[in-house]
Amino acid sequence: SEHAQYSKFSGGTSTSYSALRASGSPIRSTGGKAKGPLPYAKLFNDLLNAFDQGGKRKGVGAYYVEVWHPNIFEVLKARDPGGDARSRTHDAFPATWIPDLFMERVINHGTWSLIDPAVEPRLTETYGAEFEELYTKLEQEGKFVQQVDAETLWNQLLTKIFQQGTFWPCFKDEINARYGQRRSGVVHHSNLCTEITLLNNETESFVCNLSSPNLANFKFEWIPGTNRLKWNPDLEKTVRTAVRGLDNVIDIGFIPHENGRRFQENYRAVGLGVMGWAV
């Protein structure tokens, strides 16, 4: 419901499915077995079609999965042509959330263990040394669904990036280590374009207010004898005006869900990028 409201009012959206138990994981309340994150990703995909951005353009959204999740290989097929349509998300953008430990295993040609988050929910709530200690302990205790070659998984991820332009690798340890409000909790995912790394929890959904000046509209000159550009006072004025405007958006803009409004008031996140640099 919350994603639908954001999409209806022209917002891009994202979510994390890393905490969803793996396919085949037992459901104690019914005696059945879970189907993993892909059915929920499919619902998310269809929601973006049903609630587009106010009829102006298609709804856009990304969903993130950590690379230790047992269904990571199925997720990497989510935008493949053909196959079971119920497990394809051609209108949503899958992305990956990667701990440093995985990259170390790739570099060292090591083995990577796929672990059901239902076995240890803290895997999604830890990062850095704490995650590594917990993860390796689970490995030593044999609490994994299967083990795979880390480099094989990495190569499959890279192949999908080149083929389909998605599955963006985001590095959760570095992101959380640099997060300005670390005491508030753990960052679980980014947004559609990976320039935002903010916190979600049960009562707050991250919102970032974005803009970007077009550098092609400004005149730059090189400082003689250097590879540096002279500072452009017009650009400085534009940046100051844009940041002021973005901050005003927090106070007067419309956020359709209380979780987003709560985040806006508490963190006042703004982002100013650039375009036209190549020109």
Side-chain angles (χ1 to χ4, degrees), residues 28-48:
R28 286 180 294 178
S29 60
T30 65
K33 294 182 179 180
K35 291 189 175 181
L38 272 176
Y40 298 93
K42 178 63 173 173
L43 288 172
F44 179 57
N45 179 90
D46 294 345
L47 178 147
L48 295 171

Side-chain angles (χ1 to χ4, degrees), residues 3-202:
H3 281 297
Q5 290 181 59
Y6 292 138
S7 186
K8 173 184 176 181
F9 290 99
S10 303
T13 183
S14 65
T15 190
S16 170
Y17 289 138
S18 300
L20 292 177
R21 53 190 162 190
S23 58
S25 184
I27 303 173
R28 286 180 294 178
S29 60
T30 65
K33 294 182 179 180
K35 291 189 175 181
L38 272 176
Y40 298 93
K42 178 63 173 173
L43 288 172
F44 179 57
N45 179 90
D46 294 345
L47 178 147
L48 295 171
N49 281 321
F51 297 88
D52 61 11
Q53 297 196 0
K56 301 171 186 175
R57 61 172 179 160
K58 293 174 62 177
V60 289
Y63 62 93
Y64 285 73
V65 179
E66 295 205 36
V67 292
W68 48 259
H69 196 286
N71 292 113
I72 186 62
F73 286 101
E74 289 86 348
V75 169
L76 290 177
K77 297 178 182 177
R79 288 177 66 90
D80 284 359
D84 187 353
R86 292 169 295 184
S87 61
R88 296 293 182 261
T89 58
H90 295 294
D91 300 295
F93 294 85
T96 49
W97 203 240
I98 301 174
D100 290 348
L101 182 61
F102 173 72
M103 298 309 303
E104 291 175 12
R105 299 278 180 92
V106 171
I107 293 169
N108 296 319
H109 310 287
T111 299
W112 185 244
S113 300
L114 306 183
I115 302 174
D116 189 346
V119 172
E120 181 47 85
R122 289 180 297 168
L123 285 174
T124 60
E125 302 304 319
T126 53
Y127 64 92
E130 187 179 1
F131 170 86
E132 183 172 343
E133 180 181 358
L134 178 60
Y135 180 87
T136 53
K137 180 175 180 290
L138 292 168
E139 282 188 308
Q140 293 164 4
E141 295 172 350
K143 294 181 178 179
F144 47 79
V145 175
Q146 69 176 112
Q147 291 186 306
V148 300
D149 178 66
E151 195 170 4
T152 297
L153 174 54
W154 177 241
N155 285 336
Q156 285 200 27
L157 170 59
L158 293 180
T159 299
K160 296 301 181 182
I161 293 171
F162 284 118
Q163 288 177 341
Q164 301 170 1
T166 183
F167 298 101
W168 314 292
C170 293
F171 299 96
K172 82 164 188 174
D173 292 342
E174 188 70 12
I175 286 167
N176 276 284
R178 294 187 178 209
Y179 188 55
Q181 289 82 35
R182 286 191 296 275
R183 294 180 181 179
S184 302
V186 176
V187 179
H188 299 106
H189 62 103
S190 182
N191 69 320
L192 184 68
C193 302
T194 72
E195 84 277 22
I196 301 168
T197 51
L198 299 170
L199 178 70
N200 278 351
N201 56 39
E202 291 81 0

Side-chain angles (χ1 to χ4, degrees), residues 197-212:
T197 51
L198 299 170
L199 178 70
N200 278 351
N201 56 39
E202 291 81 0
T203 60
E204 295 174 326
S205 297
F206 73 68
V207 177
C208 194
N209 309 280
L210 303 173
S211 184
S212 55

